[in-house]
Amino acid sequence: MTSAPQQASAQQQARRQQRIEELCAASIRALTGDAQLHYRGSTLHRGHAPLRFLAPHLRDDSVASGFEDFGSRRGLADAMALRLRHSDPALHRELAPADPVERPVFEMLEQLRVETLAPGEMPGVAANLRHRFEQWSRAFHASRLTETRLGLLMYALAQSCWSMLNGEPPLAETEEIIETTRAKLGRALAGTLAGIRRERADQRAFAAYALRIAAIVGAMVRAAEAQQASERDVRNDNDEDVPAAFALLLDFEQNDGDGIASATSGQSQVFDAGGEGYRAYTTRYDREIDAAPLVRRELLREYRERLDQRIAASGIHLARLSRLLAAILATPRRDGWSFGEEEGYVDGARLARLVSAPAERRLFRLERHRPVADCALAFPGRLLGLDEGARRAGGHGHRRDGARTRSRGRGHRGARLHHRRLERGRPYREWLARGRPAHPGRLNELLHMVFKSADRNWRRARTDLAALLKPDLFREGIDGEALDWACGRLMQRAARRRILVVISDGCPMDSATALANDRFYRTTT
């Protein structure tokens, strides 16, 4: 059980983090003039869209690697503000190389370029940027990445380019380590380094030199990797002994999208040929049960303690979040009158006072309203495992004995195991026994699990909600029917407002149905 001092400390840390993010966001808005910039979940957003900064010394994993001090946070904020202010993203995407080695070099150089454009009348910004880069450099070296040939090459490149662009010496603590590699880079790059300093105010002209540097370094990296591959059989290279906490510069995300996976879609021939649209082969085995009895009480209490620890560690200010949700979900309801007001409707019962006390002004009345959360909220979905959230929570459609999507083993052994699992589903067995009629539709039985009903007090259901942490309760997911079930339960409520919140990966899992129909016949709406 999390102690009260631990919870208080976590809340204090969360409030401090929130205050730092508010200060940094204000600084970014002031430097860019963009009022839509703000932090959400420790990530900078413009409106609802998250902004990604791919330069190595701005990455989130570097922040979490031992230099999360206020100066570094300010340097990060100033660096992002300068990138937004002085870099044209459309031009950058147009010029950026596609090569997975050259792209991170190009990203780093563009970020270092904009950081040299800090306003001269703001020396604090330049100091913050220098502090951030130096702290990143120390963390990179402390992670032992400079002990590898590839890591040393990339680190020396970062130090050389930063030094050339800013006209200052590289980090003194590692200058001796990179001396040989830096000299080698200097010979390979020749006058290109001077070009990036000369053209740092022109993004397009600068990019020409940055692309040249990226191509040269890319060739050097590929040559080094080829040499390592040839030497791996005769000696152990310590490149693979790099701590995972601090990723190498080349560990670069090439996809500039939002990172959201989606299921493929198409026209289902079985769906069209079936004539009835989506259907279930049988609903005889579908059930709706409470989830808590499926978990031993001792284990349930253990899950509740684990959940409390996670909540405390997350630093969420629960009281503030509760007030915020109440304000969003509540609607004003008339609750009588407030008398003795100085404005509003004339109160006839107090008119006599106007004669006896001409200076009296409290002769009015106002309608009084109070916020009432007459609202039902539903959370169906495999990822959350919830239905009917704030006032009611429940599960979502899972088959009980159906097939798993993945089976272990290979070849015939894996196939036999897969079919044994399929045969445990009762609708699937009935379908087989009846000669596998065409277009069977859903071949899994549904198990709707309710974690908290709307009529049950939150405090009484607090322990039962921890059943969400038991992984074997969740197997395959019939997402569409889960959504339909949640809507049905929601519509039965007498609440004036009904809100359905869907959190899902968009990929229903029902192997028996998929095998008997086709890949586009999905158990989702």
Side-chain angles (χ1 to χ4, degrees):
M1 184 73 69
T2 305
S3 64
Q6 289 176 327
Q7 292 181 349
S9 176
Q11 291 177 356
Q12 290 176 357
Q13 183 179 0
R15 284 194 293 269
R16 180 178 182 273
Q17 177 69 15
Q18 180 183 359
R19 179 59 176 162
I20 290 175
E21 289 181 355
E22 290 174 353
L23 290 172
C24 290
S27 174
I28 295 173
R29 289 193 295 269
L31 284 171
T32 61
D34 190 342
Q36 294 187 337
L37 297 172
H38 63 96
Y39 275 97
R40 183 190 303 168
S42 300
T43 301
L44 186 66
H45 285 65
R46 178 183 283 120
H48 297 290
L51 301 177
R52 302 177 66 218
F53 298 87
L54 301 176
H57 60 292
L58 304 189
R59 286 172 46 164
D60 292 339
D61 56 0
S62 64
V63 174
S65 299
F67 58 99
E68 181 58 14
D69 59 275
F70 183 67
S72 287
R73 293 295 300 178
R74 286 299 307 271
L76 175 61
D78 292 341
M80 292 189 295
L82 291 171
R83 181 65 178 266
L84 294 172
R85 181 175 175 176
H86 295 293
S87 182
D88 181 352
L91 178 60
H92 182 74
R93 286 192 298 269
E94 175 190 341
L95 300 175
D99 184 87
V101 175
E102 298 175 16
R103 178 70 183 275
V105 175
F106 186 76
E107 287 286 344
M108 178 185 68
L109 291 174
E110 175 62 11
Q111 182 61 45
L112 293 178
R113 179 188 75 84
V114 299
E115 291 180 16
T116 66
L117 304 179
E121 64 274 14
M122 297 182 180
V125 172
N128 293 335
L129 295 171
R130 180 183 180 91
H131 177 77
R132 173 76 186 188
F133 186 80
E134 288 181 348
Q135 290 294 83
W136 170 81
S137 301
R138 293 186 181 97
F140 191 101
H141 178 57
S143 69
R144 294 167 45 206
L145 284 170
T146 51
E147 296 178 11
T148 69
R149 285 180 294 181
L150 191 55
L152 183 60
L153 172 64
M154 300 304 291
Y155 179 77
L157 175 68
Q159 295 295 315
S160 299
C161 293
W162 182 88
S163 176
M164 176 59 71
L165 286 167
N166 290 275
E168 298 184 17
L171 186 68
E173 301 167 26
T174 58
E175 190 170 8
E176 184 178 347
I177 299 172
I178 66 172
E179 182 179 357
T180 303
T181 307
R182 189 182 175 198
K184 180 181 178 182
L185 279 171
R187 290 191 298 270
L189 300 178
T192 312
L193 289 176
I196 61 173
R197 177 173 173 80
R198 184 174 59 252
E199 302 292 350
R200 63 186 186 277
D202 185 335
Q203 182 178 352
R204 185 179 290 276
F206 178 91
Y209 290 98
L211 288 170
R212 199 176 307 165
I213 293 174
I216 293 172
V217 173
M220 296 173 68
V221 168
R222 284 185 284 271
E225 287 179 335
Q227 185 177 356
Q228 286 180 7
S230 64
E231 295 175 353
R232 199 162 290 155
D233 295 335
V234 296
R235 67 175 181 85
N236 292 326
D237 198 325
N238 63 352
D239 278 358
E240 297 181 357
D241 191 28
V242 176
F246 199 92
L248 191 61
L249 285 177
L250 292 179
D251 183 15
F252 179 76
E253 300 177 15
Q254 299 180 60
N255 184 12
D256 289 337
D258 54 14
I260 300 176
S262 60
T264 58
S265 62
Q267 190 71 19
S268 171
Q269 296 178 358
V270 175
F271 189 91
D272 294 338
E276 302 177 11
Y278 177 78
R279 62 185 293 266
Y281 184 71
T282 179
T283 60
R284 185 188 316 170
Y285 306 108
D286 296 352
R287 292 189 300 154
E288 179 180 314
I289 63 173
D290 291 330
L294 301 177
V295 186
R296 290 184 295 106
R297 298 306 298 180
E298 296 80 5
L299 185 58
L300 203 57
R301 285 191 289 270
E302 180 183 334
Y303 283 150
R304 182 67 251 183
E305 292 180 4
R306 190 184 305 173
L307 188 58
D308 289 339
Q309 292 171 1
R310 290 184 183 180
I311 294 174
S314 68
I316 297 175
H317 196 309
L318 293 179
R320 180 173 179 270
L321 180 61
S322 178
R323 290 194 299 269
L324 195 62
L325 288 175
I328 293 173
L329 298 177
T331 55
R333 178 175 295 180
R334 183 175 173 180
D335 188 31
W337 294 91
S338 174
F339 299 96
E341 302 292 340
E342 294 187 357
E343 60 180 11
Y345 299 98
V346 175
D347 186 359
R350 292 175 177 254
L351 286 178
R353 290 193 178 188
L354 188 60
V355 178
S356 60
E360 179 63 56
R361 293 290 182 268
R362 293 174 294 177
L363 306 174
F364 303 91
R365 62 176 181 169
L366 289 172
E367 284 186 319
R368 185 171 58 204
H369 295 82
R370 62 185 178 90
V372 177
D374 188 7
C375 175
L377 201 61
F379 288 89
R382 177 166 61 250
L383 295 185
L384 207 58
L386 287 179
D387 162 58
E388 307 271 337
R391 297 189 53 187
R392 150 178 155 186
H396 116 274
H398 290 274
R399 65 94 175 99
R400 187 171 183 213
D401 292 315
R404 296 183 66 87
T405 300
R406 297 183 184 128
S407 45
R408 302 192 179 194
R410 295 182 177 179
H412 297 293
R413 180 184 177 188
R416 289 196 300 269
L417 179 59
H418 190 67
H419 282 288
R420 283 201 299 271
R421 286 172 172 170
L422 284 174
E423 290 168 359
R424 287 203 298 266
R426 288 174 289 185
Y428 184 79
R429 291 202 302 268
E430 282 192 11
W431 177 69
L432 290 176
R434 293 178 183 178
R436 305 187 180 190
H439 320 309
R442 169 169 61 86
L443 284 174
N444 258 325
E445 54 193 273
L446 298 183
L447 177 61
H448 296 298
M449 293 180 288
V450 181
F451 291 84
K452 178 189 175 298
S453 66
D455 301 317
R456 193 175 185 197
N457 181 276
W458 172 264
R459 292 185 180 275
R460 292 181 179 274
R462 183 175 177 275
T463 301
D464 292 354
L465 280 170
L468 286 165
L469 298 186
K470 188 170 175 58
D472 57 359
L473 292 183
F474 309 103
R475 299 174 186 173
E476 294 188 338
I478 317 297
D479 291 12
E481 297 212 33
L483 184 60
D484 184 62
W485 173 70
C487 287
R489 287 173 61 93
L490 199 58
M491 295 305 295
Q492 294 174 9
R493 305 301 304 174
R496 297 178 62 184
R497 298 176 66 194
R498 304 179 184 93
I499 301 174
L500 181 66
V501 181
V502 179
I503 302 178
S504 174
D505 57 4
C507 297
M509 298 174 60
D510 183 0
S511 297
T513 300
L515 290 174
N517 295 277
D518 63 39
R519 63 189 295 254
F520 294 123
Y521 189 96
R522 298 194 181 280
T523 50
T524 188
T525 54

